[in-house]
Amino acid sequence: METILGQDKAVQLAAVKPKKMSAWTYILKHRAFYLMLIPGLLYFLVFRYVPLAGSVIAFQDYNIFKGFTGSDWVGFQWFEQMFSYDKFARLLRNTLFISLYQIIFAFPLPIILACLLNEVRSMAFKRVTQTVLYLPHFLSWTIVFGLTYMMLSPAQGFVNHLIVMLGGEKISFLQKPEYFRSIIITSGIWKEMGWNAIIFIAALAGINPALYEAAKMDGANRWKQFLHISVPGLLPAIMILLMLKIGHIMDSGFEQIYQFLNPATYETGDVLDTYTYRAGILQGQYSITTAIGLFKSVIGFILLVIANRVSKLTTGEGLY
């Protein structure tokens, strides 16, 4: 009888649902974590969300002295002017080409580098190599341009000196439109490849070593281990970063391109960002440059949504 009563009491206690904690009680309980979130939230609020209010300039004949409230509304006039601009097709083409080249050529190299470094067994050599590869990231694009100019200069550049030694003629690489995109992609790879590899090295470090041990016992060689363990372990990080890259496909890197760009290379190097700088900052055409920025944001958002959908259907990984 006592046993039956004890069982009934246990069933009753199990049936009692725990009291639901209110949102404020939950926040108060985990207040330390929410306090750490405040700086990040303030950053996004001040520098990301508040500036969105300035997007109304794209629909106004904005006057800096009248402000948002006093400027006249003109509807989609600036968008019509943007699309009818005779060089808009060139600006859009250059932006897309440079961004696509960065995805095709620059994006895979940090992944390959991380995989190669992961196979290095000498920790001393691995650390020295990583440090050397990280250092260019901390150089400004002004310094990188100076180094590139020294390498490609027709007068004293090493590359032209080598060409002359092989019987060729000197080439003004930085003045030739056909070489501009190659220089941009190559210099970007040299500067950022080591730094971008960090996240992939971290992803590889997070793979359970027991998986490699089990694969060895089953007779898998290094290549099979890479294909069946390393690649699947890297896939989530690869897909997320690729989607973010696709979302920023209209941003081809203003700082870098502005340093290398000159009137002789506008044909293949002038992009939406550099035109926005000239029109908005130098000429004060705030409305049309805001319209260009809004156009870029909308296209990037649409591409990000599409890429996220495709990724979830194919790999099961997504941003949301």
Side-chain angles (χ1 to χ4, degrees), residues 220-241:
N221 56 26
R222 299 289 284 276
W223 176 247
K224 293 294 184 180
Q225 294 174 35
F226 170 74
L227 287 180
H228 298 291
I229 300 176
S230 299
V231 172
L234 282 172
L235 191 58
I238 292 174
M239 294 308 301
I240 290 174
L241 291 177

Side-chain angles (χ1 to χ4, degrees), residues 36 53 100 117 135 149 155 189 204 214 247 251 254 270 297 300:
M36 289 189 289
L100 288 174
L117 289 173
L135 286 177
Y149 179 82
I189 290 173
L204 287 169
D251 299 317
F254 168 76
D270 197 18
S297 300

Side-chain angles (χ1 to χ4, degrees), residues 103-178:
I103 293 174
I104 294 171
F105 297 106
F107 182 77
L109 289 180
I111 303 172
I112 297 172
L113 176 62
C115 294
L116 292 174
L117 289 173
N118 189 56
E119 296 298 322
V120 176
R121 293 295 174 258
S122 173
M123 292 304 298
F125 177 78
K126 184 176 181 179
R127 289 170 182 170
V128 171
T129 304
Q130 286 179 307
T131 302
V132 171
L133 292 172
Y134 295 165
L135 286 177
H137 169 77
F138 299 99
L139 300 177
S140 68
W141 280 115
T142 304
I143 296 175
V144 174
F145 172 74
L147 295 173
T148 306
Y149 179 82
M150 291 171 61
M151 291 289 293
L152 302 179
S153 172
Q156 299 177 346
F158 171 77
V159 175
N160 273 298
H161 181 67
L162 186 60
I163 292 174
V164 172
M165 287 179 60
L166 296 174
E169 296 183 357
K170 294 182 178 181
I171 303 174
S172 298
F173 289 99
L174 296 175
Q175 304 296 323
K176 298 286 186 179
E178 59 268 27

Side-chain angles (χ1 to χ4, degrees), residues 230-295:
S230 299
V231 172
L234 282 172
L235 191 58
I238 292 174
M239 294 308 301
I240 290 174
L241 291 177
L242 180 59
M243 284 187 287
L244 292 175
K245 190 69 176 176
I246 291 174
H248 287 86
I249 199 169
M250 302 297 287
D251 299 317
S252 47
F254 168 76
E255 297 87 352
Q256 179 188 10
I257 294 176
Y258 182 73
Q259 291 293 333
F260 286 83
L261 190 65
N262 59 72
T265 56
Y266 276 1
E267 181 182 346
T268 58
D270 197 18
V271 296
L272 290 170
D273 288 336
T274 52
Y275 172 76
T276 300
Y277 172 76
R278 294 197 304 273
I281 303 299
L282 301 183
Q283 300 176 15
Q285 300 178 24
Y286 303 111
S287 293
I288 190 169
T289 52
T290 304
I292 293 174
L294 190 58
F295 167 75

Side-chain angles (χ1 to χ4, degrees), residues 83-100:
F83 290 121
S84 62
Y85 179 53
D86 58 345
K87 294 183 176 60
F88 178 76
R90 186 188 72 181
L91 295 171
L92 183 60
R93 182 178 65 250
N94 292 340
T95 301
L96 292 176
F97 276 171
I98 291 176
S99 294
L100 288 174

Side-chain angles (χ1 to χ4, degrees), residues 239-249 297-311 318-320:
M239 294 308 301
I240 290 174
L241 291 177
L242 180 59
M243 284 187 287
L244 292 175
K245 190 69 176 176
I246 291 174
H248 287 86
I249 199 169
S297 300
V298 170
I299 296 298
F301 176 74
I302 293 173
L303 290 175
L304 180 61
V305 171
I306 294 173
N308 185 74
R309 182 63 177 170
V310 172
S311 176
L319 290 173
Y320 55 88

